[in-house]
């Protein structure tokens, strides 16, 4: 008979705690839905909302023009470099031909007074001048490319500065947004926690205590976990302070009940001994 009584008591406890846990789970799901809708009552700030649109649009157009100019200058540079390479090859070939021809003329006669030698030397000089003219153009292009790159770098710095200013404004607004959402959640969760503590203290021995206990579990979850996503920098102090108060209160109550139980057992033991 005693065995059946213990088994029935254990089964009852399992059923009671199961009821508490199931109720707690559904309350958590419902609260998450409610809190999610509460979060939508205020719009989350975005970095783009704080950018100087007109200034950035102007800077973007400027840097796009500079990049286009750089592309054109680099294409011209490639063309000039190829032309210089061709002119250099022509000059080398012409000089080699001239040297060979002069050597032949020395063998056959005096080349110094030969008009043909003078003409070919002038032609060789013309090849060299062409190459030098193209090199001058290349130097000019390289200078223009360097100056355009400097302008593009300055423009990019201006763009980065504008975005940095916008992001600083966004961070400040985000802090305000997080605080606002945190307070909205706290306004919802704080009464829930108060009811949970009240139910635990007042109805822990009620015949329907599993229902009250399930609500108490839910209230603890809602306060210590439901506020996490939008905790401000000092939010941890709020949670931990409440945790300390609850721990101290529950600990005091538990110690008091244990001492009463020990004193009662000691009194019973004395009576039994006598």
């Amino acid at each position: 008979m005693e065995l059946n009584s213990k088994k029935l008591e254990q089964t009852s406890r399992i059923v009671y705690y199961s009821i508490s846990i199931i109720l707690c789970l559904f309350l958590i799901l419902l609260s998450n839905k409610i809190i999610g809708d509460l979060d939508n009552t205020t719009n989350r700030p975005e970095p783009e909302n704080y950018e100087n649109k007109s200034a950035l649009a102007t800077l973007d157009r400027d840097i796009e023009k500079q990049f286009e100019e750089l592309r054109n200058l680099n294409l011209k540079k490639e063309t000039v470099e190829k032309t210089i390479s061709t002119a250099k090859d022509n000059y080398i070939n012409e000089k080699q031909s001239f040297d060979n021809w002069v050597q032949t003329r020395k063998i056959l006669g005096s080349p110094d007074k030969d008009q043909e030698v003078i003409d070919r030397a002038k032609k060789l000089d013309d090849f060299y001048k062409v190459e030098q003219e193209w090199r001058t153009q290349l130097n000019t292009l390289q200078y223009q490319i360097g100056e355009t790159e400097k302008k593009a770098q300055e423009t990019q710095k201006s763009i980065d500065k504008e975005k940095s200013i916008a992001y600083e404004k966004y961070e400040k607004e985000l802090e305000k947004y997080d605080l606002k959402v945190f307070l909205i959640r706290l306004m919802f969760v704080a009464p829930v926690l108060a009811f949970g503590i009240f139910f635990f203290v007042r109805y822990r021995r009620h015949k329907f205590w599993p229902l009250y206990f399930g609500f108490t579990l839910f209230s603890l979850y809602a306060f210590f976990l439901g506020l996490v996503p939008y905790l401000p920098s000092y939010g941890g102090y709020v949670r931990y302070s409440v945790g300390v108060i609850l721990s101290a209160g529950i600990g005091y109550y538990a110690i008091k009940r244990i001492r009463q139980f020990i004193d009662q057992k000691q009194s019973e033991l004395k009576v039994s001994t006598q």
Side-chain angles (χ1 to χ4, degrees):
M1 183 69 179
E2 184 178 354
L3 181 62
N4 290 335
S5 178
K6 287 183 178 180
K7 189 174 182 181
L8 179 61
E9 183 179 354
Q10 291 176 353
T11 303
S12 299
R13 284 186 175 276
I14 292 173
V15 172
Y16 290 155
Y17 282 113
S18 297
I19 292 172
S20 299
I21 292 172
I22 291 172
L23 176 62
C24 176
L25 289 175
F26 278 105
L27 285 172
I28 288 172
L29 294 174
L30 178 61
S31 69
N32 289 339
K33 181 66 176 175
I34 294 173
I35 289 175
D37 291 338
L38 289 175
D39 294 346
N40 294 330
T41 57
T42 180
N43 294 325
R44 182 182 179 87
E46 298 296 336
E48 296 79 9
N49 299 336
Y50 305 95
E51 293 178 351
N52 189 336
K53 303 292 185 182
S54 59
L56 283 175
T58 302
L59 291 171
D60 287 338
R61 286 194 297 269
D62 290 343
I63 201 169
E64 183 61 32
K65 289 179 182 177
Q66 289 156 3
F67 284 155
E68 182 65 25
E69 186 178 352
L70 278 174
R71 284 192 289 268
N72 293 332
L73 288 172
N74 283 315
L75 288 174
K76 291 180 180 179
K77 180 184 173 184
E78 291 178 3
T79 303
V80 170
E81 286 175 343
K82 291 179 181 178
T83 305
I84 289 173
S85 178
T86 302
K88 186 176 180 180
D89 291 340
N90 291 337
Y91 173 76
I92 292 173
N93 294 332
E94 185 64 24
K95 188 175 184 304
Q96 185 177 2
S97 176
F98 176 77
D99 292 340
N100 294 335
W101 183 80
V102 167
Q103 189 66 28
T104 303
R105 294 293 296 172
K106 283 181 179 181
I107 296 172
L108 297 177
S110 176
D112 298 334
K113 297 179 181 179
D114 193 339
Q115 184 62 38
E116 188 176 357
V117 174
I118 297 173
D119 293 339
R120 296 197 64 166
K122 185 176 180 299
K123 183 178 180 183
L124 183 62
D125 289 338
D126 291 339
F127 275 104
Y128 181 76
K129 287 179 181 179
V130 169
E131 180 184 350
Q132 294 306 308
E133 287 174 358
W134 283 108
R135 288 193 180 279
T136 301
Q137 290 189 32
L138 179 62
N139 293 333
T140 302
L141 285 172
Q142 288 176 336
Y143 174 78
Q144 291 175 348
I145 289 172
E147 290 298 312
T148 306
E149 286 177 345
K150 288 180 182 179
K151 291 180 182 178
Q153 290 173 359
E154 292 298 324
T155 306
Q156 186 61 51
K157 287 180 181 178
S158 299
I159 292 173
D160 294 339
K161 184 178 179 181
E162 287 291 336
K163 290 188 175 181
S164 177
I165 294 172
Y167 192 76
E168 289 177 0
K169 294 179 181 178
Y170 158 75
E171 284 187 326
K172 291 179 181 178
E173 291 300 321
L174 184 62
E175 289 178 359
K176 294 179 182 178
Y177 167 80
D178 287 343
L179 177 60
K180 186 175 181 179
V181 174
F182 172 75
L183 292 176
I184 292 173
R185 287 187 168 208
L186 186 61
M187 289 174 61
F188 171 77
V189 172
V192 171
L193 179 64
F195 276 113
I197 296 172
F198 173 76
F199 289 156
F200 177 77
V201 173
R202 186 70 179 273
Y203 296 107
R204 65 184 182 280
R205 297 186 182 279
H206 196 275
K207 63 180 179 179
F208 295 114
W209 69 265
L211 299 178
Y212 295 112
F213 183 67
F215 188 89
T216 301
L217 290 177
F218 155 68
S219 67
L220 295 174
Y221 166 86
F223 185 82
F224 288 100
L225 297 178
L227 295 177
V228 168
Y230 296 97
L231 278 179
S233 58
Y234 57 84
Y237 293 103
V238 176
R239 290 199 307 159
Y240 299 149
S241 298
V242 173
V244 169
I245 294 171
L246 289 177
S247 300
I250 295 172
Y252 172 79
Y253 173 79
I255 292 171
K256 183 179 179 181
R257 294 295 298 173
I258 291 172
R259 294 302 305 174
Q260 288 177 353
F261 177 76
I262 292 174
D263 292 341
Q264 180 182 355
K265 289 299 180 182
Q266 287 178 346
S267 300
E268 292 177 357
L269 184 59
K270 288 179 181 179
V271 173
S272 176
T273 303
Q274 292 174 358

